[in-house]
Amino acid sequence: MYIIKTSTNNYKIRIRIPDRLKNVFNKREINKSLKTKSYKDAIIKSKPIIKLYRKIELLSDTGICDLSELSELVKKFNDRFKLSNPSTTVMNNKKIKTHKECLEKFKEYYLDESVVTSKRVSVVNFLEDVFLPVIGSNIPIKSSDFKKLLEVKKTLQELPKRNIQQYRELSVEQLLKMTIPTEDRITNATLHFYFANIKRFYSYCLAQRYIDINPTDFITIKLESDSQ
């Protein structure tokens, strides 16, 4: 973050956006005129901008907010300080069509080296190894609706528990061709975990405007009778 004197002797604040937040802000840096020639006044005027920016940065790094919530905070940030809400994402999204393409973008965002954890890696592994084969790599992202996600839910329910020896080395594609005995199938608790990961992916897609609605918002999974 810098307080810079411009060629007209006014001060402005410049904040360089880190890679992990570029998908949220849709820009590389923030430039805001502080409309003062006094450095002391510039420091005072910059404080609320820096405070709110750091709040967004902290919420992103701690994972307290998902991407759609962060995007809403950024919009409020831009509106409060009269910064532009760029439409570059909408323009770029014309090239983003399939689930596979969207997952690649999600992976770039979610596995940013500054915040990557083993939990985040496991989320991406599930989406790549399980969800993508079930939903279909080349299925258009905009075709994901309530009906499609119900089909995904039904298919996932029929997959086996991975701690059973005979299924460990089989791919999802192989498992989908099998009829798994009811007693070997995943529990509702596992299904709930799977859909939490899928919801995280679609929240990203919604924030990036690849889709107009998150289809997982309408999917419910009962947990009261689960047993592991």
Side-chain angles (χ1 to χ4, degrees):
M1 300 182 191
Y2 305 93
I3 304 296
I4 300 171
K5 182 180 278 192
T6 67
S7 58
T8 58
N9 291 324
N10 281 299
Y11 284 95
K12 72 173 183 178
I13 182 171
R14 174 189 287 175
I15 302 174
R16 290 182 178 173
I17 308 297
D19 288 343
R20 67 184 184 278
L21 288 175
K22 284 177 181 174
N23 281 333
V24 181
F25 280 91
N26 287 323
K27 59 178 74 175
R28 291 183 174 85
E29 62 180 35
I30 295 167
N31 281 286
K32 169 66 177 174
S33 173
L34 299 171
K35 297 181 179 179
T36 180
K37 290 182 169 63
S38 165
Y39 181 72
K40 182 178 179 180
D41 288 344
I43 293 295
I44 294 171
K45 288 186 174 185
S46 70
K47 283 183 177 180
I49 300 174
I50 294 171
K51 181 179 180 181
L52 186 51
Y53 170 80
R54 283 180 171 161
K55 177 181 178 182
I56 294 171
E57 196 173 42
L58 179 64
L59 289 172
S60 172
D61 291 349
T62 57
I64 294 174
C65 291
D66 63 27
L67 193 62
S68 59
E69 292 171 322
L70 286 173
S71 295
E72 186 60 32
L73 283 173
V74 168
K75 185 179 184 304
K76 290 178 180 178
F77 175 85
N78 289 337
D79 291 344
R80 177 178 173 183
F81 299 113
K82 298 181 180 177
L83 300 166
S84 62
N85 283 299
S87 57
T88 51
T89 301
V90 178
M91 294 172 61
N92 291 338
N93 287 349
K94 292 178 181 178
K95 297 179 181 179
I96 305 296
K97 297 179 180 179
T98 68
H99 276 77
K100 184 177 180 179
E101 291 169 327
C102 292
L103 185 52
E104 285 300 315
K105 292 294 183 181
F106 172 80
K107 186 176 177 180
E108 289 176 15
Y109 156 75
Y110 201 64
L111 295 185
D112 182 277
E113 62 182 12
S114 61
V115 293
V116 67
T117 62
S118 59
K119 182 179 179 180
R120 287 183 172 233
V121 171
S122 70
V123 169
V124 171
N125 286 343
F126 162 76
L127 292 170
E128 286 185 322
D129 299 339
V130 180
F131 174 64
L132 207 56
V134 171
I135 192 78
S137 297
N138 296 318
I139 295 297
I141 192 70
K142 285 188 175 292
S143 70
S144 299
D145 55 15
F146 176 66
K147 183 178 178 181
K148 185 67 177 176
L149 266 292
L150 280 180
E151 293 174 4
V152 170
K153 177 183 176 183
K154 182 177 183 298
T155 302
L156 291 176
Q157 284 175 314
E158 295 173 353
L159 291 177
K161 302 169 186 173
R162 283 296 192 165
N163 60 354
I164 300 177
Q165 181 65 37
Q166 68 191 82
Y167 305 118
R168 285 182 181 177
E169 303 301 321
L170 298 179
S171 68
V172 170
E173 288 88 349
Q174 291 172 311
L175 293 171
L176 291 176
K177 296 176 183 178
M178 300 171 62
T179 300
I180 307 299
T182 302
E183 62 271 20
D184 289 351
R185 293 177 185 176
I186 65 170
T187 65
N188 276 4
T190 300
L191 184 65
H192 186 272
F193 170 74
Y194 283 175
F195 261 86
N197 295 337
I198 295 170
K199 185 180 182 71
R200 189 174 284 111
F201 166 68
Y202 280 120
S203 292
Y204 169 84
C205 293
L206 180 62
Q208 294 300 301
R209 302 178 189 175
Y210 301 154
I211 54 177
D212 300 318
I213 193 168
N214 188 334
T216 60
D217 286 343
F218 308 99
I219 302 294
T220 56
I221 297 166
K222 295 180 180 180
L223 293 176
E224 61 269 17
S225 60
D226 289 347
S227 60
Q228 188 71 38

